[in-house]
Amino acid sequence: AVVSEINWDVPFAPQAPFANWDQPYQDACEEATIVMIERYLRSAPLSLQEMDAEILRMVRFQDERYGFYRDSNAAETARLAEALYPHLSARVVYDVTADAIRAALSSGTPVLVLVDGRRLGNPFYTPPGPLRHTLVIKGVKGSSFITNDPGTRRGADFVYPIERVMGSLVDYDGGTPGTGKRSMILLTPRGG
């Protein structure tokens, strides 16, 4: 039987936990989505203070280790997740389909995706919206994906049409060029 609705209990906090959208928070969506999934996998809560501290820790780490932190592409985002959270394994899947995302969700794995945020049409973004952005896809209901969108404080359980999400997926350039392909990052417990 096909499950019509899945919605994993991934904790939410925005990438600007205290509504300060200056740097580094303006470009902290990759960090924020990693933190949300890491907490989910440990069944741990996530406070605004913890999100703030983790983002700052991750930005410091990236500046020291890689010399940049803004807009990591899919491979760089996966590398960051594994470097910061050694108990996680990160796998990038390219040329991803909606069915592949559904299959991951069915197996209990929330999905991290890189998107052109301007194509999402979120009314709560500051126009025109972020060119390079990330979402956690945590569920599916009918023809929509249920997401945690760190780009707005109203981003918990934010519902987007599946077609719109798929049309916005892009492995954008980070510190090195991205592939431009539709990709997803699957974070799972290492050895799990």
Side-chain angles (χ1 to χ4, degrees):
V2 174
V3 179
S4 62
E5 184 173 349
I6 299 167
N7 189 10
W8 298 109
D9 191 16
V10 179
F12 174 79
Q15 70 194 62
F18 300 111
N20 169 2
W21 287 91
D22 295 340
Q23 293 297 1
Y25 304 102
Q26 190 179 331
D27 284 316
C29 54
E30 295 90 357
E31 291 81 359
T33 48
I34 292 169
V35 171
M36 287 189 265
I37 295 176
E38 191 273 338
R39 290 298 195 275
Y40 164 77
L41 292 172
R42 285 198 291 121
S43 302
L46 177 60
S47 69
L48 293 174
Q49 287 81 2
E50 287 171 325
M51 177 63 96
D52 191 63
E54 282 298 272
I55 285 174
L56 295 177
R57 181 173 85 90
M58 293 167 96
V59 166
R60 267 196 315 273
F61 174 88
Q62 291 173 88
D63 274 341
E64 289 166 10
R65 176 77 58 95
Y66 310 129
F68 80 101
Y69 68 88
R70 294 186 193 186
D71 302 330
S72 306
N73 65 31
E76 291 162 350
T77 301
R79 174 183 72 178
L80 173 65
E82 289 189 338
L84 269 154
Y85 298 117
H87 56 285
L88 295 186
S89 175
R91 185 165 66 94
V92 182
V93 180
Y94 294 101
D95 298 316
V96 70
T97 61
D99 284 345
I101 293 174
R102 276 195 197 92
L105 292 169
S106 295
S107 73
T109 305
V111 175
L112 196 163
V113 292
L114 279 59
V115 296
D116 175 345
R118 296 172 308 183
R119 295 188 193 163
L120 289 172
N122 187 313
F124 300 117
Y125 290 164
T126 303
L131 177 58
R132 297 184 178 95
H133 191 48
T134 57
L135 303 172
V136 175
I137 301 178
K138 62 194 286 283
V140 61
K141 181 178 183 180
S143 61
S144 296
F145 281 138
I146 304 166
T147 72
N148 273 359
D149 183 340
T152 163
R153 63 190 168 88
R154 297 182 183 88
D157 287 305
F158 203 94
V159 174
Y160 289 108
I162 289 174
E163 281 183 9
R164 196 178 315 153
V165 172
M166 296 310 295
S168 71
L169 294 186
V170 58
D171 179 20
Y172 46 68
D173 293 348
T176 54
T179 62
K181 296 177 177 177
R182 294 177 172 185
S183 63
M184 68 176 173
I185 300 167
L186 300 175
L187 300 179
T188 52
R190 187 172 291 282

mmCIF file of all heavy atoms in Angstrom, residues 45-82:
data_model
loop_
_atom_site.group_PDB
_atom_site.id
_atom_site.type_symbol
_atom_site.label_atom_id
_atom_site.label_comp_id
_atom_site.label_asym_id
_atom_site.label_seq_id
_atom_site.Cartn_x
_atom_site.Cartn_y
_atom_site.Cartn_z
ATOM 1 N N PRO A 45 15.919 17.795 20.679
ATOM 2 C CA PRO A 45 15.231 19.056 20.394
ATOM 3 C C PRO A 45 16.215 20.087 19.844
ATOM 4 O O PRO A 45 17.430 19.863 19.858
ATOM 5 C CB PRO A 45 14.697 19.487 21.762
ATOM 6 C CG PRO A 45 15.620 18.838 22.743
ATOM 7 C CD PRO A 45 16.091 17.555 22.110
ATOM 8 N N LEU A 46 15.695 21.197 19.377
ATOM 9 C CA LEU A 46 16.534 22.247 18.795
ATOM 10 C C LEU A 46 15.972 23.604 19.203
ATOM 11 O O LEU A 46 14.883 23.980 18.777
ATOM 12 C CB LEU A 46 16.547 22.124 17.265
ATOM 13 C CG LEU A 46 17.315 23.192 16.488
ATOM 14 C CD1 LEU A 46 18.791 23.195 16.880
ATOM 15 C CD2 LEU A 46 17.162 22.949 14.983
ATOM 16 N N SER A 47 16.733 24.310 20.035
ATOM 17 C CA SER A 47 16.309 25.649 20.450
ATOM 18 C C SER A 47 16.917 26.694 19.522
ATOM 19 O O SER A 47 17.865 26.409 18.775
ATOM 20 C CB SER A 47 16.763 25.923 21.886
ATOM 21 O OG SER A 47 18.190 26.054 21.917
ATOM 22 N N LEU A 48 16.379 27.894 19.564
ATOM 23 C CA LEU A 48 16.949 28.988 18.771
ATOM 24 C C LEU A 48 18.395 29.244 19.184
ATOM 25 O O LEU A 48 19.267 29.487 18.351
ATOM 26 C CB LEU A 48 16.112 30.260 18.950
ATOM 27 C CG LEU A 48 14.694 30.202 18.378
ATOM 28 C CD1 LEU A 48 13.913 31.458 18.742
ATOM 29 C CD2 LEU A 48 14.711 30.012 16.863
ATOM 30 N N GLN A 49 18.666 29.164 20.491
ATOM 31 C CA GLN A 49 20.034 29.375 20.972
ATOM 32 C C GLN A 49 20.982 28.325 20.411
ATOM 33 O O GLN A 49 22.105 28.632 20.019
ATOM 34 C CB GLN A 49 20.075 29.319 22.516
ATOM 35 C CG GLN A 49 19.470 30.520 23.202
ATOM 36 C CD GLN A 49 17.940 30.474 23.305
ATOM 37 O OE1 GLN A 49 17.309 29.496 22.881
ATOM 38 N NE2 GLN A 49 17.351 31.518 23.857
ATOM 39 N N GLU A 50 20.523 27.064 20.382
ATOM 40 C CA GLU A 50 21.372 25.987 19.853
ATOM 41 C C GLU A 50 21.610 26.178 18.364
ATOM 42 O O GLU A 50 22.730 25.961 17.880
ATOM 43 C CB GLU A 50 20.720 24.635 20.110
ATOM 44 C CG GLU A 50 20.771 24.217 21.561
ATOM 45 C CD GLU A 50 19.936 22.974 21.830
ATOM 46 O OE1 GLU A 50 18.876 22.790 21.197
ATOM 47 O OE2 GLU A 50 20.352 22.200 22.684
ATOM 48 N N MET A 51 20.583 26.560 17.623
ATOM 49 C CA MET A 51 20.762 26.792 16.188
ATOM 50 C C MET A 51 21.784 27.901 15.980
ATOM 51 O O MET A 51 22.688 27.788 15.155
ATOM 52 C CB MET A 51 19.431 27.138 15.521
ATOM 53 C CG MET A 51 19.568 27.461 14.028
ATOM 54 S SD MET A 51 20.182 26.070 13.010
ATOM 55 C CE MET A 51 18.616 25.399 12.433
ATOM 56 N N ASP A 52 21.665 28.971 16.736
ATOM 57 C CA ASP A 52 22.586 30.095 16.626
ATOM 58 C C ASP A 52 24.022 29.629 16.888
ATOM 59 O O ASP A 52 24.935 29.907 16.104
ATOM 60 C CB ASP A 52 22.175 31.184 17.622
ATOM 61 C CG ASP A 52 22.920 32.487 17.379
ATOM 62 O OD1 ASP A 52 22.745 33.073 16.302
ATOM 63 O OD2 ASP A 52 23.670 32.920 18.270
ATOM 64 N N ALA A 53 24.216 28.898 17.977
ATOM 65 C CA ALA A 53 25.562 28.443 18.350
ATOM 66 C C ALA A 53 26.130 27.489 17.300
ATOM 67 O O ALA A 53 27.319 27.567 16.954
ATOM 68 C CB ALA A 53 25.512 27.748 19.721
ATOM 69 N N GLU A 54 25.301 26.579 16.786
ATOM 70 C CA GLU A 54 25.780 25.626 15.785
ATOM 71 C C GLU A 54 26.142 26.320 14.475
ATOM 72 O O GLU A 54 27.147 26.000 13.849
ATOM 73 C CB GLU A 54 24.731 24.529 15.523
ATOM 74 C CG GLU A 54 24.690 23.468 16.586
ATOM 75 C CD GLU A 54 26.001 22.706 16.702
ATOM 76 O OE1 GLU A 54 26.184 21.700 15.984
ATOM 77 O OE2 GLU A 54 26.873 23.124 17.492
ATOM 78 N N ILE A 55 25.323 27.274 14.038
ATOM 79 C CA ILE A 55 25.640 28.003 12.807
ATOM 80 C C ILE A 55 26.988 28.714 12.963
ATOM 81 O O ILE A 55 27.852 28.630 12.084
ATOM 82 C CB ILE A 55 24.523 29.004 12.446
ATOM 83 C CG1 ILE A 55 23.308 28.246 11.883
ATOM 84 C CG2 ILE A 55 25.027 30.042 11.430
ATOM 85 C CD1 ILE A 55 22.092 29.127 11.636
ATOM 86 N N LEU A 56 27.177 29.402 14.079
ATOM 87 C CA LEU A 56 28.435 30.133 14.273
ATOM 88 C C LEU A 56 29.620 29.173 14.348
ATOM 89 O O LEU A 56 30.693 29.445 13.795
ATOM 90 C CB LEU A 56 28.351 31.014 15.522
ATOM 91 C CG LEU A 56 27.318 32.148 15.424
ATOM 92 C CD1 LEU A 56 27.243 32.917 16.736
ATOM 93 C CD2 LEU A 56 27.623 33.087 14.260
ATOM 94 N N ARG A 57 29.427 28.020 14.987
ATOM 95 C CA ARG A 57 30.493 27.011 15.059
ATOM 96 C C ARG A 57 30.835 26.487 13.666
ATOM 97 O O ARG A 57 32.003 26.318 13.309
ATOM 98 C CB ARG A 57 30.030 25.857 15.965
ATOM 99 C CG ARG A 57 31.053 24.757 16.154
ATOM 100 C CD ARG A 57 30.573 23.746 17.187
ATOM 101 N NE ARG A 57 29.707 22.733 16.622
ATOM 102 C CZ ARG A 57 30.152 21.561 16.121
ATOM 103 N NH1 ARG A 57 31.440 21.290 16.113
ATOM 104 N NH2 ARG A 57 29.304 20.678 15.652
ATOM 105 N N MET A 58 29.804 26.239 12.859
ATOM 106 C CA MET A 58 30.010 25.697 11.516
ATOM 107 C C MET A 58 30.680 26.722 10.603
ATOM 108 O O MET A 58 31.544 26.374 9.792
ATOM 109 C CB MET A 58 28.673 25.248 10.928
ATOM 110 C CG MET A 58 28.087 24.060 11.677
ATOM 111 S SD MET A 58 26.346 23.760 11.231
ATOM 112 C CE MET A 58 26.548 22.505 9.977
ATOM 113 N N VAL A 59 30.272 27.980 10.723
ATOM 114 C CA VAL A 59 30.879 29.027 9.900
ATOM 115 C C VAL A 59 32.358 29.190 10.251
ATOM 116 O O VAL A 59 33.220 29.265 9.369
ATOM 117 C CB VAL A 59 30.112 30.363 10.070
ATOM 118 C CG1 VAL A 59 30.912 31.536 9.506
ATOM 119 C CG2 VAL A 59 28.753 30.268 9.384
ATOM 120 N N ARG A 60 32.658 29.207 11.561
ATOM 121 C CA ARG A 60 34.072 29.288 11.987
ATOM 122 C C ARG A 60 34.873 28.114 11.436
ATOM 123 O O ARG A 60 35.969 28.279 10.911
ATOM 124 C CB ARG A 60 34.155 29.267 13.524
ATOM 125 C CG ARG A 60 34.183 30.641 14.175
ATOM 126 C CD ARG A 60 34.664 30.567 15.631
ATOM 127 N NE ARG A 60 34.054 29.494 16.400
ATOM 128 C CZ ARG A 60 32.903 29.597 17.055
ATOM 129 N NH1 ARG A 60 32.216 30.720 17.025
ATOM 130 N NH2 ARG A 60 32.426 28.573 17.742
ATOM 131 N N PHE A 61 34.318 26.929 11.565
ATOM 132 C CA PHE A 61 34.991 25.719 11.086
ATOM 133 C C PHE A 61 35.287 25.819 9.591
ATOM 134 O O PHE A 61 36.389 25.528 9.135
ATOM 135 C CB PHE A 61 34.092 24.506 11.364
ATOM 136 C CG PHE A 61 34.617 23.215 10.792
ATOM 137 C CD1 PHE A 61 35.491 22.423 11.518
ATOM 138 C CD2 PHE A 61 34.224 22.783 9.525
ATOM 139 C CE1 PHE A 61 35.982 21.231 10.993
ATOM 140 C CE2 PHE A 61 34.704 21.593 8.997
ATOM 141 C CZ PHE A 61 35.581 20.815 9.729
ATOM 142 N N GLN A 62 34.296 26.243 8.815
ATOM 143 C CA GLN A 62 34.483 26.319 7.363
ATOM 144 C C GLN A 62 35.495 27.387 6.982
ATOM 145 O O GLN A 62 36.299 27.187 6.071
ATOM 146 C CB GLN A 62 33.154 26.629 6.674
ATOM 147 C CG GLN A 62 32.171 25.487 6.764
ATOM 148 C CD GLN A 62 30.823 25.900 6.221
ATOM 149 O OE1 GLN A 62 30.562 25.791 5.047
ATOM 150 N NE2 GLN A 62 29.970 26.412 7.090
ATOM 151 N N ASP A 63 35.440 28.532 7.661
ATOM 152 C CA ASP A 63 36.412 29.582 7.362
ATOM 153 C C ASP A 63 37.831 29.088 7.624
ATOM 154 O O ASP A 63 38.743 29.340 6.839
ATOM 155 C CB ASP A 63 36.122 30.837 8.202
ATOM 156 C CG ASP A 63 35.094 31.744 7.545
ATOM 157 O OD1 ASP A 63 34.870 31.611 6.320
ATOM 158 O OD2 ASP A 63 34.518 32.586 8.247
ATOM 159 N N GLU A 64 37.996 28.352 8.735
ATOM 160 C CA GLU A 64 39.326 27.857 9.082
ATOM 161 C C GLU A 64 39.758 26.715 8.161
ATOM 162 O O GLU A 64 40.905 26.637 7.742
ATOM 163 C CB GLU A 64 39.343 27.390 10.542
ATOM 164 C CG GLU A 64 39.251 28.553 11.525
ATOM 165 C CD GLU A 64 38.917 28.103 12.951
ATOM 166 O OE1 GLU A 64 38.932 26.881 13.228
ATOM 167 O OE2 GLU A 64 38.633 28.993 13.785
ATOM 168 N N ARG A 65 38.838 25.821 7.853
ATOM 169 C CA ARG A 65 39.180 24.610 7.107
ATOM 170 C C ARG A 65 39.181 24.840 5.601
ATOM 171 O O ARG A 65 40.059 24.345 4.894
ATOM 172 C CB ARG A 65 38.165 23.510 7.464
ATOM 173 C CG ARG A 65 38.303 22.205 6.698
ATOM 174 C CD ARG A 65 39.442 21.321 7.182
ATOM 175 N NE ARG A 65 39.342 20.953 8.587
ATOM 176 C CZ ARG A 65 38.811 19.829 9.034
ATOM 177 N NH1 ARG A 65 38.301 18.951 8.194
ATOM 178 N NH2 ARG A 65 38.794 19.581 10.317
ATOM 179 N N TYR A 66 38.181 25.584 5.105
ATOM 180 C CA TYR A 66 38.008 25.699 3.653
ATOM 181 C C TYR A 66 38.207 27.116 3.122
ATOM 182 O O TYR A 66 38.258 27.322 1.918
ATOM 183 C CB TYR A 66 36.599 25.243 3.239
ATOM 184 C CG TYR A 66 36.184 23.895 3.801
ATOM 185 C CD1 TYR A 66 34.967 23.756 4.464
ATOM 186 C CD2 TYR A 66 36.993 22.772 3.656
ATOM 187 C CE1 TYR A 66 34.568 22.529 4.982
ATOM 188 C CE2 TYR A 66 36.598 21.543 4.178
ATOM 189 C CZ TYR A 66 35.389 21.429 4.833
ATOM 190 O OH TYR A 66 34.996 20.222 5.341
ATOM 191 N N GLY A 67 38.238 28.103 4.021
ATOM 192 C CA GLY A 67 38.421 29.479 3.582
ATOM 193 C C GLY A 67 37.163 30.155 3.080
ATOM 194 O O GLY A 67 37.206 31.276 2.578
ATOM 195 N N PHE A 68 36.004 29.475 3.178
ATOM 196 C CA PHE A 68 34.736 30.094 2.787
ATOM 197 C C PHE A 68 33.612 29.346 3.481
ATOM 198 O O PHE A 68 33.790 28.222 3.935
ATOM 199 C CB PHE A 68 34.517 30.040 1.258
ATOM 200 C CG PHE A 68 34.011 28.705 0.777
ATOM 201 C CD1 PHE A 68 32.667 28.524 0.488
ATOM 202 C CD2 PHE A 68 34.854 27.620 0.659
ATOM 203 C CE1 PHE A 68 32.189 27.290 0.091
ATOM 204 C CE2 PHE A 68 34.381 26.373 0.261
ATOM 205 C CZ PHE A 68 33.050 26.219 -0.029
ATOM 206 N N TYR A 69 32.437 29.979 3.530
ATOM 207 C CA TYR A 69 31.286 29.261 4.105
ATOM 208 C C TYR A 69 30.012 29.480 3.309
ATOM 209 O O TYR A 69 29.041 28.765 3.489
ATOM 210 C CB TYR A 69 31.035 29.685 5.565
ATOM 211 C CG TYR A 69 30.547 31.102 5.710
ATOM 212 C CD1 TYR A 69 29.188 31.412 5.654
ATOM 213 C CD2 TYR A 69 31.446 32.145 5.853
ATOM 214 C CE1 TYR A 69 28.744 32.712 5.758
ATOM 215 C CE2 TYR A 69 31.011 33.453 5.965
ATOM 216 C CZ TYR A 69 29.658 33.735 5.913
ATOM 217 O OH TYR A 69 29.228 35.008 6.011
ATOM 218 N N ARG A 70 29.991 30.473 2.426
ATOM 219 C CA ARG A 70 28.737 30.790 1.744
ATOM 220 C C ARG A 70 28.427 29.781 0.655
ATOM 221 O O ARG A 70 29.325 29.375 -0.086
ATOM 222 C CB ARG A 70 28.825 32.160 1.075
ATOM 223 C CG ARG A 70 28.958 33.294 2.043
ATOM 224 C CD ARG A 70 28.893 34.590 1.266
ATOM 225 N NE ARG A 70 29.326 35.686 2.110
ATOM 226 C CZ ARG A 70 29.272 36.951 1.754
ATOM 227 N NH1 ARG A 70 28.808 37.278 0.566
ATOM 228 N NH2 ARG A 70 29.669 37.884 2.568
ATOM 229 N N ASP A 71 27.167 29.453 0.522
ATOM 230 C CA ASP A 71 26.680 28.715 -0.648
ATOM 231 C C ASP A 71 27.528 27.500 -1.000
ATOM 232 O O ASP A 71 28.180 27.466 -2.027
ATOM 233 C CB ASP A 71 26.623 29.650 -1.865
ATOM 234 C CG ASP A 71 25.737 30.853 -1.606
ATOM 235 O OD1 ASP A 71 24.782 30.720 -0.826
ATOM 236 O OD2 ASP A 71 25.999 31.911 -2.184
ATOM 237 N N SER A 72 27.534 26.524 -0.126
ATOM 238 C CA SER A 72 28.231 25.281 -0.454
ATOM 239 C C SER A 72 27.414 24.501 -1.471
ATOM 240 O O SER A 72 26.194 24.425 -1.357
ATOM 241 C CB SER A 72 28.389 24.423 0.808
ATOM 242 O OG SER A 72 29.021 25.162 1.829
ATOM 243 N N ASN A 73 28.083 23.923 -2.475
ATOM 244 C CA ASN A 73 27.353 23.069 -3.424
ATOM 245 C C ASN A 73 27.052 21.727 -2.756
ATOM 246 O O ASN A 73 27.363 21.524 -1.581
ATOM 247 C CB ASN A 73 28.113 22.935 -4.751
ATOM 248 C CG ASN A 73 29.445 22.203 -4.611
ATOM 249 O OD1 ASN A 73 29.607 21.322 -3.772
ATOM 250 N ND2 ASN A 73 30.409 22.571 -5.438
ATOM 251 N N ALA A 74 26.426 20.830 -3.481
ATOM 252 C CA ALA A 74 25.965 19.582 -2.861
ATOM 253 C C ALA A 74 27.121 18.779 -2.264
ATOM 254 O O ALA A 74 27.048 18.315 -1.121
ATOM 255 C CB ALA A 74 25.190 18.740 -3.877
ATOM 256 N N ALA A 75 28.207 18.618 -3.029
ATOM 257 C CA ALA A 75 29.345 17.835 -2.536
ATOM 258 C C ALA A 75 29.971 18.513 -1.325
ATOM 259 O O ALA A 75 30.350 17.849 -0.349
ATOM 260 C CB ALA A 75 30.382 17.661 -3.652
ATOM 261 N N GLU A 76 30.077 19.848 -1.373
ATOM 262 C CA GLU A 76 30.665 20.589 -0.246
ATOM 263 C C GLU A 76 29.771 20.529 0.984
ATOM 264 O O GLU A 76 30.258 20.449 2.118
ATOM 265 C CB GLU A 76 30.890 22.050 -0.648
ATOM 266 C CG GLU A 76 31.990 22.215 -1.690
ATOM 267 C CD GLU A 76 31.928 23.561 -2.413
ATOM 268 O OE1 GLU A 76 30.934 24.306 -2.260
ATOM 269 O OE2 GLU A 76 32.888 23.847 -3.147
ATOM 270 N N THR A 77 28.462 20.555 0.774
ATOM 271 C CA THR A 77 27.520 20.478 1.891
ATOM 272 C C THR A 77 27.607 19.102 2.552
ATOM 273 O O THR A 77 27.614 18.985 3.784
ATOM 274 C CB THR A 77 26.087 20.777 1.410
ATOM 275 O OG1 THR A 77 26.051 22.082 0.830
ATOM 276 C CG2 THR A 77 25.087 20.720 2.556
ATOM 277 N N ALA A 78 27.717 18.055 1.737
ATOM 278 C CA ALA A 78 27.866 16.698 2.274
ATOM 279 C C ALA A 78 29.175 16.579 3.058
ATOM 280 O O ALA A 78 29.210 16.010 4.155
ATOM 281 C CB ALA A 78 27.823 15.687 1.128
ATOM 282 N N ARG A 79 30.239 17.133 2.502
ATOM 283 C CA ARG A 79 31.556 17.102 3.165
ATOM 284 C C ARG A 79 31.483 17.810 4.515
ATOM 285 O O ARG A 79 32.024 17.329 5.515
ATOM 286 C CB ARG A 79 32.568 17.787 2.243
ATOM 287 C CG ARG A 79 33.951 17.959 2.832
ATOM 288 C CD ARG A 79 34.884 18.715 1.897
ATOM 289 N NE ARG A 79 34.537 20.134 1.824
ATOM 290 C CZ ARG A 79 35.219 21.033 1.101
ATOM 291 N NH1 ARG A 79 36.257 20.645 0.368
ATOM 292 N NH2 ARG A 79 34.844 22.303 1.086
ATOM 293 N N LEU A 80 30.809 18.952 4.545
ATOM 294 C CA LEU A 80 30.672 19.719 5.787
ATOM 295 C C LEU A 80 29.916 18.916 6.840
ATOM 296 O O LEU A 80 30.318 18.869 8.006
ATOM 297 C CB LEU A 80 29.940 21.031 5.509
ATOM 298 C CG LEU A 80 29.577 21.852 6.752
ATOM 299 C CD1 LEU A 80 30.838 22.328 7.468
ATOM 300 C CD2 LEU A 80 28.683 23.029 6.371
ATOM 301 N N ALA A 81 28.824 18.285 6.436
ATOM 302 C CA ALA A 81 28.019 17.514 7.389
ATOM 303 C C ALA A 81 28.858 16.419 8.030
ATOM 304 O O ALA A 81 28.828 16.215 9.254
ATOM 305 C CB ALA A 81 26.800 16.921 6.689
ATOM 306 N N GLU A 82 29.646 15.711 7.221
ATOM 307 C CA GLU A 82 30.453 14.610 7.751
ATOM 308 C C GLU A 82 31.617 15.126 8.603
ATOM 309 O O GLU A 82 32.002 14.493 9.580
ATOM 310 C CB GLU A 82 30.981 13.737 6.615
ATOM 311 C CG GLU A 82 29.899 12.903 5.955
ATOM 312 C CD GLU A 82 30.460 11.882 4.979
ATOM 313 O OE1 GLU A 82 31.603 12.064 4.485
ATOM 314 O OE2 GLU A 82 29.745 10.895 4.690
#
